[in-house]
Amino acid sequence: MKDGNEYGKDCECQESIKQRARYKNAMIPDEYENYNFKNFEVREPVHEIMLNKITEYLKTFPQKKPTEEIVRKNDEKLRIKGPSFGFIATYGEQRIKNIDDPQLRSEMKRQHNNYGVGKSHLTISAAKYLIKNGYRVQVISDPVFIQDLMTAKFNKDNGETYNSILSNITQYADFVVWDDLGKLKWTEPREDLYYQIFNELYKLGKPIIFSSNEDVETLSDKIGPAAASRLKGMCSGYLYPVEGKDQR
């Protein structure tokens, strides 16, 4: 018969295997492989604010026991529910592009830069933290994900590919980490798609952790007012406009 220590080792081994599987299934891009909270550099006040806000948010979700299944269908008690979280621009990219005067456009871009301030670094670090704590996470890049979905719509496979892509975030994931939201140009089919996804995640109580280079108004222009309103409501106060020097 095994003693307590051996049982403990078996449990730790199984959890390690599960954690590696969760990490693989999260589809974190290779360029973000080294991102974590420990190597996030605080170079100016906005970085400290961003780091504090997202770590405070994560504390609202408890660490799960190694043997506990995070999501079980038809078991409401075990489903993870909570607010979403977002880093957005103070002055959106589209707003700057719409300035006709080149000199003024350049000046506004300098004053309200939101590139390279650490939004993606922190949201990807959050994904890794949640994976380590037992949660299932799906990381998506807005342009790639939306384009894949739109392409899948026209596949002649009775919607199999399309539904498979969607189920990764609506059924598998406890958290969706959405990078660069609103990067693509607006189209009516994309607007409908954003709302469909956000509304489904809202009904399931599944949080979205996202970053965007658009502000509240220009994000609405990119993804549609209904989707933007739904997402804003899901954030329940965890929506933070940020800007600062480009640290890249």
Side-chain angles (χ1 to χ4, degrees):
M1 181 179 292
K2 295 182 178 181
D3 60 24
N5 289 334
E6 288 178 318
Y7 277 120
K9 290 178 181 178
D10 287 344
C11 185
E12 290 174 5
C13 181
Q14 288 299 315
E15 173 54 23
S16 179
I17 292 172
K18 290 180 180 179
Q19 183 174 315
R20 288 197 296 270
R22 290 195 300 271
Y23 190 92
K24 181 179 180 181
N25 290 332
M27 301 295 291
I28 298 174
D30 292 341
E31 60 266 32
Y32 297 155
E33 183 179 356
N34 296 322
Y35 283 6
N36 58 65
F37 286 128
K38 290 183 179 179
N39 62 24
F40 179 74
E41 297 184 14
V42 178
R43 299 183 183 179
E44 53 181 307
V46 66
H47 296 145
E48 185 172 5
I49 293 171
M50 292 169 67
L51 180 60
N52 288 339
K53 293 300 183 183
I54 199 164
T55 52
E56 287 173 5
Y57 166 78
L58 291 172
K59 289 177 183 177
T60 64
F61 300 96
Q63 182 174 353
K64 292 297 167 182
K65 297 177 182 178
T67 57
E68 182 177 353
E69 193 69 30
I70 302 304
V71 173
R72 293 179 187 168
K73 292 181 181 179
N74 304 320
D75 193 340
E76 193 70 19
K77 292 180 180 179
L78 289 180
R79 291 189 178 182
I80 304 305
K81 293 191 175 183
S84 294
F85 181 101
F87 286 129
I88 60 173
T90 302
Y91 202 88
E93 177 183 10
Q94 190 60 48
R95 192 182 302 278
I96 293 174
K97 285 183 177 180
N98 289 341
I99 298 175
D100 293 329
D101 186 325
Q103 186 173 350
L104 178 59
R105 183 167 62 247
S106 178
E107 177 62 21
M108 293 302 287
K109 186 175 181 180
R110 185 189 65 80
Q111 287 184 17
H112 298 288
N113 176 70
N114 62 85
Y115 287 93
V117 297
K119 298 190 299 297
S120 293
H121 190 133
L122 289 175
T123 54
I124 296 298
S125 297
K128 294 178 179 179
Y129 170 90
L130 290 165
I131 291 168
K132 185 177 180 180
N133 280 3
Y135 294 97
R136 296 173 177 176
V137 179
Q138 187 71 45
V139 176
I140 57 178
S141 169
D142 185 74
V144 176
F145 178 71
I146 295 299
Q147 292 283 36
D148 285 349
L149 271 179
M150 296 303 297
T151 300
K153 265 195 168 185
F154 298 98
N155 283 359
K156 296 179 179 179
D157 60 359
N158 296 318
E160 183 177 338
T161 302
Y162 179 82
N163 291 328
S164 175
I165 295 173
L166 274 183
S167 68
N168 283 337
I169 63 172
T170 58
Q171 300 301 321
Y172 166 80
D174 301 311
F175 289 82
V176 177
V177 175
W178 202 307
D179 191 44
D180 217 0
L181 179 62
K183 184 66 176 177
L184 295 172
K185 293 182 179 180
W186 175 89
T187 66
E188 187 172 350
R190 288 174 186 161
E191 176 178 335
D192 293 341
L193 192 56
Y194 281 120
Y195 182 76
Q196 175 190 343
I197 295 170
F198 295 162
N199 194 53
E200 183 66 17
L201 292 173
Y202 166 76
K203 289 190 294 184
L204 294 171
K206 296 190 174 186
I208 304 171
I209 300 174
F210 72 96
S211 63
S212 177
N213 289 320
E214 301 297 343
D215 58 44
V216 172
E217 291 185 10
T218 59
L219 182 60
S220 178
D221 293 337
K222 287 294 193 71
I223 68 175
S229 176
R230 172 63 77 210
L231 185 61
K232 183 179 178 182
M234 291 170 68
C235 287
S236 301
Y238 289 101
L239 185 62
Y240 301 101
V242 297
E243 61 183 21
K245 296 178 181 178
D246 189 339
Q247 304 293 342
R248 293 171 182 168

